[in-house]
Amino acid sequence: MLVSNFYHTTYCTNIHPGEDWKTTFDSLKNYVPLIKSQVSKTQEFGLGLRLSNKASEELGFGSKLQEFKDWLTAHQIYIFTMNGFPYGNFHGEAVKDKVHRPDWTTQERVDYTIRLFKQLNFLLPEGISGGISTSPISYKHWYSSEEELDHAKKVGAQGMIAVALRLYQTEKETGNYLHLDIEPEPDGILENSDEVISFFKEYLIPIGVDRFKKEFGIPNDNAERIIKRHLTICYDICHFSLAYEEPEHTFQKFLGNDIKIGKIQVSAALKVLFNETDNQHIWESLSKFNEPTYLHQVTELSDEGVKTHADLPELLEKKGHRAQLRAHFHVPIFLQKFPPLYSTQDHILKVIDYLKKNKICDHLEIETYTWDVLPIDLKTALSDSIIREINWLKERL
């Protein structure tokens, strides 16, 4: 769905269950045509597809993939972005830090990502770029020393460069421009813009320049440009708000380092503003968001910088005096308040305002995947919720 003649805009199907291909396809058939009929009646509807490793393997490259493409065409739906972050099960069990496993230090992650790109390349309409978002290397708390983190960054960079080599070759052969969108998040090895820039400078570029020179004989400057063309950033608004980064400042930092944004995930974090009168009520309201499926890191700004609490239960045990907290809970983007709590919707509005003046990417993807685990008073029919989010974003764009 092209909005404002600039942005392919959609929602991420990681909200729908689908750990195998049959369940995934059934979910798409049940939800997507209905949603399209309400938000994109007269034009094709772009979709942000999530495939688990198992679903991707079962979809394969033969008749099932062609059948899927035919179904998309028949319903005027197209795929332009995919979510390649969660490798395994994402519903119905405790995901927590397993969302990073297998990470970019493993061949499984590389193979999974390359397979997704081959499938995306087959599904992608002519003349549209395609992107896949992915893990920020790994989960920081799995590593106990700087030496271990350094090793993870080196191996992770090697894996991402292996993908970039494939994407460069694919563009030469087919003309399709594809990019891997690295997604920083709290307690990932990459959490904020400074860590992203350092990873490019210290790992991706040195390792990548050498590989591109050996594989294709490309000079250093050209190799760096190609690497930054195919390895980009997934700017998840929720995640960067948790890092207390103002959108315009971050966009300018990336621009100044020639780092591209491949996709913006439109999402909101939970914001907690304390006062002198009803803090007990605030803590009780926050505790309603404590659920066992996903990691809900909580950040606060201190004189030493951003402090991250690894999960919401850890913070609820401590409580104590706080001024403001932000929780990694992807709440509905169309709500500014969850009285007495708030959302970081203001960051979404700042991003939208920036996008109206600066075209920094082609892909916008709403990513609210927590509908099943929201407090009961916030739950509504899933299709209605998705439609409301898409329409809210369209109106503001």
Side-chain angles (χ1 to χ4, degrees):
M1 179 175 59
L2 204 60
V3 178
S4 299
N5 297 320
F6 283 120
Y7 300 108
H8 294 280
T9 305
T10 187
Y11 79 101
C12 181
T13 64
N14 64 351
I15 180 53
H16 304 307
E19 300 318 308
D20 57 59
W21 172 241
K22 182 181 183 305
T23 308
T24 299
F25 199 14
D26 286 346
S27 294
L28 297 177
K29 288 185 283 190
N30 286 338
Y31 286 101
V32 180
L34 172 62
I35 292 168
K36 180 197 180 301
S37 71
Q38 298 300 308
V39 302
S40 186
K41 295 178 183 178
T42 61
Q43 61 172 307
E44 290 186 313
F45 180 59
L47 193 63
L49 182 65
R50 188 258 162 165
L51 295 177
S52 71
N53 181 64
K54 183 179 180 182
S56 174
E57 286 182 329
E58 292 175 350
L59 177 59
F61 301 100
S63 59
K64 287 183 181 179
L65 187 60
Q66 184 62 57
E67 176 191 354
F68 181 43
K69 187 172 185 177
D70 292 342
W71 180 84
L72 292 169
T73 301
H75 289 82
Q76 292 188 300
I77 299 165
Y78 64 99
I79 307 294
F80 65 91
T81 186
M82 296 174 72
N83 187 337
F85 193 147
Y87 178 98
N89 195 5
F90 199 59
H91 293 277
E93 64 179 58
V95 178
K96 297 294 183 179
D97 61 340
K98 289 189 295 184
V99 72
H100 292 275
R101 185 172 285 130
D103 63 17
W104 275 99
T105 67
T106 68
Q107 189 60 40
E108 291 95 327
R109 172 63 65 173
V110 177
D111 292 344
Y112 167 60
T113 305
I114 289 173
R115 187 187 327 114
L116 289 182
F117 268 117
K118 289 174 68 178
Q119 290 168 330
L120 177 60
N121 186 55
F122 180 80
L123 297 170
L124 191 68
E126 186 177 352
I128 297 177
S129 67
I132 298 177
S133 49
T134 193
S135 153
I137 308 170
S138 186
Y139 185 59
K140 189 173 289 184
H141 293 305
W142 291 344
Y143 302 90
S144 57
S145 68
E146 288 300 318
E147 290 75 18
E148 289 182 357
L149 279 170
D150 176 68
H151 179 71
K153 291 175 185 176
K154 286 180 181 175
V155 178
Q158 290 166 356
M160 291 179 184
I161 291 299
V163 173
L165 289 165
R166 294 291 190 104
L167 301 186
Y168 170 72
Q169 188 67 32
T170 297
E171 186 171 18
K172 286 178 63 179
E173 293 171 354
T174 70
N176 285 344
Y177 168 44
L178 303 170
H179 43 86
L180 180 65
D181 309 327
I182 306 164
E183 182 181 342
E185 75 163 33
D187 283 338
I189 287 183
L190 304 177
E191 294 190 69
N192 54 52
S193 58
D194 287 338
E195 291 176 351
V196 167
I197 292 167
S198 293
F199 181 57
F200 270 82
K201 286 183 176 179
E202 298 173 21
Y203 298 91
L204 284 177
I205 299 307
I207 291 170
V209 163
D210 184 58
R211 286 291 306 278
F212 270 88
K213 192 171 185 177
K214 287 180 179 177
E215 295 278 343
F216 299 108
I218 296 173
N220 290 7
D221 289 347
N222 287 349
E224 180 172 341
R225 178 185 58 78
I226 293 167
I227 292 164
K228 289 180 175 178
R229 175 171 172 79
H230 293 290
L231 299 182
T232 63
I233 302 304
C234 172
Y235 183 96
D236 186 303
I237 300 175
C238 167
H239 297 173
F240 277 90
S241 73
L242 288 160
Y244 291 81
E245 293 197 27
E246 288 296 314
E248 183 170 356
H249 177 65
T250 301
F251 295 150
Q252 290 299 319
K253 282 173 67 176
F254 285 151
L255 180 64
N257 287 274
D258 296 319
I259 295 173
K260 294 180 173 59
I261 293 173
K263 171 166 68 176
I264 292 177
Q265 283 185 327
V266 183
S267 56
L270 199 61
K271 184 192 295 184
V272 188
L273 301 175
F274 292 93
N275 54 50
E276 301 299 325
T277 57
D278 61 351
N279 284 348
Q280 182 60 33
H281 183 207
I282 290 172
W283 282 114
E284 289 173 357
S285 298
L286 182 59
S287 69
K288 294 179 181 178
F289 289 85
N290 183 18
E291 60 80 34
T293 305
Y294 304 109
L295 269 180
H296 300 297
Q297 303 94 330
V298 183
T299 62
E300 61 180 322
L301 196 59
S302 68
D303 293 337
E304 291 77 37
V306 178
K307 179 181 180 181
T308 302
H309 305 270
D311 205 354
L312 187 52
E314 170 191 309
L315 180 74
L316 291 172
E317 287 181 6
K318 298 176 183 177
K319 294 185 179 176
H321 177 72
R322 316 280 177 177
Q324 179 183 160
L325 298 171
R326 296 179 182 181
H328 184 201
F329 199 113
H330 287 227
V331 292
I333 64 172
F334 51 76
L335 292 174
Q336 181 190 13
K337 296 181 181 180
F338 307 84
L341 308 177
Y342 298 82
S343 81
T344 58
Q345 188 195 79
D346 56 319
H347 278 248
I348 298 176
L349 296 175
K350 290 174 184 176
V351 170
I352 291 172
D353 186 57
Y354 191 85
L355 291 178
K356 289 178 179 178
K357 305 166 188 172
N358 307 273
K359 189 173 187 295
I360 57 174
C361 70
D362 297 324
H363 298 171
L364 305 182
E365 178 185 55
I366 297 168
E367 202 207 15
T368 308
Y369 57 81
T370 54
W371 297 106
D372 288 345
V373 297
L374 282 170
I376 190 67
D377 55 327
L378 295 176
K379 290 184 179 181
T380 58
L382 183 57
S383 294
D384 292 343
S385 299
I386 294 170
I387 290 166
R388 186 176 177 184
E389 290 211 303
I390 294 172
N391 283 333
W392 182 90
L393 179 59
K394 282 174 61 180
E395 288 167 7
R396 277 143 192 84
L397 282 168

